[in-house]
Amino acid sequence: MPHQGRHFLHIPGPSPIPDRVLRAMDMPIIDHRSAQFAELAKAVFRGSQTIFQTTGPVIIFPSSGTGAWEAAIVNTLSPGDKVLMVETGHFATLWRNMAVRWGIDVEFMPGDWRHGADPAAIEARLAQDSSHAIKAVMVVHNETSTGATSRVNEIRTALDKTGHPALLLVDTISSLGSIDYRHDEWKVDVTVSCSQKGFMLPPGLGFNAISEKARAAAKTSKMPRSYWDWEEMLKPNANGFFPYTPATNLLYGLRESITMLMEEGLESVFARHKRLAAAARAAVTHWGLEVLCQNPAEYSPVLTAVLMPPGHDADQFRKVVLETSNMSLGSGLGKVAGKVFRIGHLGECNELTLLGALSGVEMGLAKAGIPHRSGGVEVAIKTLEEPTLANAQSHLKVVKN
Ligand code: PLP
């Protein structure tokens, strides 16, 4: 049956694109060697620094997030280097696999896919490494496959406490622009991100925010690279240009999405995501289903991964939801395929879109015959009405503006 109205895209990225961003990209292509282009590029470089919370360079590749992962590896490391990574879920595993393919000696701390990276375990491992064999610690800030975040600030503290000189490389692909993240304050060396999540853009831009230390490491790195070479990029970037044809219209969109994030205020953006996530979890818990992430301090503000009751297939359930409500939910990935579905609530998302999504889930649970307690949507509404700290912060911001 054909559906009326908009498709509800509630996967944890790509996230829905705001109309303002779509309109901003609806522009004739311009000469990427013109003064007009340089003005656009300089504006997005400056704006991106604000979002990454850095005063250092932010490199923008025409690529997916995976390309930006590769750029982080090939610019900072050399074949045979040892790195420490943590198995937080599917994306940490894919990044590990990539590093292995580049000849990196990866120590992969095992994880149960229900927690973020443990700062205490990282500290203990670094403390043992008195010869400083570990060249980098690589973590995923928001593990999109599980809905668990890692406490990057505490991982930084672990490095500082042990006096370990390893680089800190962080994947913020599904957190940047939605969850508080501070590249400079947390002394991250490479922050990897992309366009299709918190920036609310189509896929196609990959980001590396880089520290002085990372840039120095690039000078001695022996990894072969060409397209991803930071210095090749930074030279023309200084004048607002790229070494090759940039993704011009995505940059128009990026300028607009940065403007939107700044208009709302980053603090309010972060508070909104936390508030919506709390409402989503309240509904899930009321239904009698289980949130995959087990540590409340690590609950993701951008998505909620939900465990299916035994004997029920998550993909079959998602199919029912798509057919009945024209809504896409995220699938379980890797080890949790078929066992979880994921509700994305990031980017262009507000109370009513979230409640619409939760209604679709609740209707789907009934239709698919999944045992649950009805009334989760009402509980979510009540949660949104509560004057939580997150609500109060967001209110202050609105008043200030
Ligand atoms: N890392 C995380 C945390 C992700 O969520 C994703 C994609 O969803 C990736 C890496 C890979 O990014 P891309 O699919 O843009 O290459």
Side-chain angles (χ1 to χ4, degrees):
M1 205 178 66
H3 286 286
Q4 303 298 321
R6 282 204 183 196
H7 176 68
F8 259 56
L9 183 67
H10 279 273
I11 60 174
S15 64
I17 307 172
D19 293 350
R20 266 177 74 173
V21 172
L22 285 172
R23 283 197 293 271
M25 290 188 301
D26 185 7
M27 294 284 281
I29 192 77
I30 57 169
D31 176 5
H32 59 285
R33 305 195 194 282
S34 66
Q36 191 189 354
F37 179 83
E39 208 181 297
L40 167 68
K42 284 181 186 169
V44 296
F45 292 146
R46 271 196 309 273
S48 302
Q49 286 178 314
T50 311
I51 308 300
F52 282 85
Q53 303 197 38
T54 181
T55 55
V58 177
I59 288 175
I60 308 177
F61 293 107
S63 79
S64 82
T66 302
W69 265 352
E70 182 149 319
I73 291 174
V74 298
N75 278 283
T76 57
L77 299 170
S78 297
D81 274 356
K82 187 173 182 63
V83 303
L84 185 63
M85 297 182 80
V86 184
E87 187 199 359
T88 46
H90 183 66
F91 290 103
T93 306
L94 292 184
W95 202 12
R96 188 278 307 258
N97 294 348
M98 174 189 273
V100 169
R101 284 196 291 271
W102 275 105
I104 304 292
D105 173 11
V106 181
E107 183 170 325
F108 202 38
M109 299 176 90
D112 65 359
W113 291 45
R114 302 194 72 168
H115 294 85
D118 178 1
I122 293 175
E123 184 180 329
R125 181 63 192 92
L126 292 175
Q128 282 171 1
D129 182 36
S130 50
S131 65
H132 296 166
I134 295 170
K135 297 296 173 218
V137 175
M138 297 164 63
V139 289
V140 176
H141 184 210
N142 183 71
E143 183 45 87
T144 325
S145 61
T146 66
T149 57
S150 287
R151 289 158 281 156
V152 176
N153 54 340
E154 292 182 33
I155 295 169
R156 172 76 258 165
T157 306
L159 280 152
D160 289 348
K161 264 168 81 182
T162 51
H164 201 291
L167 295 166
L168 179 57
L169 274 46
V170 182
D171 167 339
T172 65
I173 284 177
S174 59
S175 59
L176 193 87
S178 305
I179 307 177
D180 192 9
Y181 182 82
R182 308 169 189 194
H183 177 88
D184 282 3
E185 189 182 319
W186 297 345
K187 291 182 276 169
V188 177
D189 294 296
V190 188
T191 298
V192 174
S193 204
C194 72
S195 50
Q196 73 269 23
K197 315 252 184 183
F199 278 126
M200 307 172 284
L201 291 165
L205 297 178
F207 297 82
N208 277 178
I210 56 179
S211 71
E212 280 300 321
K213 190 170 153 190
R215 216 168 153 183
K219 300 225 157 65
T220 55
S221 147
K222 294 191 179 57
M223 208 65 99
R225 58 181 182 268
S226 169
Y227 184 82
W228 304 114
D229 193 287
W230 288 340
E231 291 305 321
E232 288 302 307
M233 215 11 158
L234 287 169
K235 271 180 264 167
N237 278 182
N239 298 316
F241 296 110
F242 279 66
Y244 40 65
T245 312
T248 307
N249 287 47
L250 287 175
L251 299 181
Y252 278 126
L254 177 60
R255 185 167 64 182
E256 189 66 15
S257 73
I258 293 170
T259 303
M260 288 178 69
L261 291 168
M262 297 319 295
E263 279 174 7
E264 185 177 355
L266 282 182
E267 261 181 59
S268 298
V269 171
F270 303 149
R272 168 167 57 86
H273 282 85
K274 278 193 190 168
R275 190 167 73 243
L276 297 179
R281 287 192 303 273
V284 170
T285 310
H286 179 88
W287 290 324
L289 301 180
E290 204 181 333
V291 172
L292 183 64
C293 175
Q294 284 186 317
N295 181 357
E298 297 172 337
Y299 282 149
S300 171
V302 302
L303 80 132
T304 303
V306 183
L307 267 171
M308 289 302 277
H312 294 273
D313 181 68
D315 290 335
Q316 183 53 33
F317 168 66
R318 290 189 317 109
K319 193 161 168 268
V320 170
V321 171
L322 180 62
E323 280 166 6
T324 49
S325 300
N326 191 22
M327 174 165 74
S328 293
L329 294 168
S331 59
L333 297 171
K335 276 187 195 172
V336 291
K339 297 195 180 92
V340 308
F341 66 91
R342 296 171 298 149
I343 308 169
H345 31 76
L346 70 157
E348 171 88 330
C349 189
N350 61 21
E351 279 83 354
L352 294 191
T353 39
L354 177 77
L355 291 171
L358 296 176
S359 301
V361 174
E362 187 157 337
M363 284 156 59
L365 290 171
K367 178 108 183 167
I370 316 269
H372 70 288
R373 181 156 53 125
S374 65
V377 176
E378 280 97 300
V379 171
I381 293 172
K382 288 270 170 299
T383 307
L384 290 170
E385 284 167 355
E386 277 167 21
T388 59
L389 183 62
N391 278 319
Q393 275 170 354
S394 136
H395 174 69
L396 276 181
K397 201 77 193 174
V398 171
V399 171
K400 254 196 270 169
N401 289 341

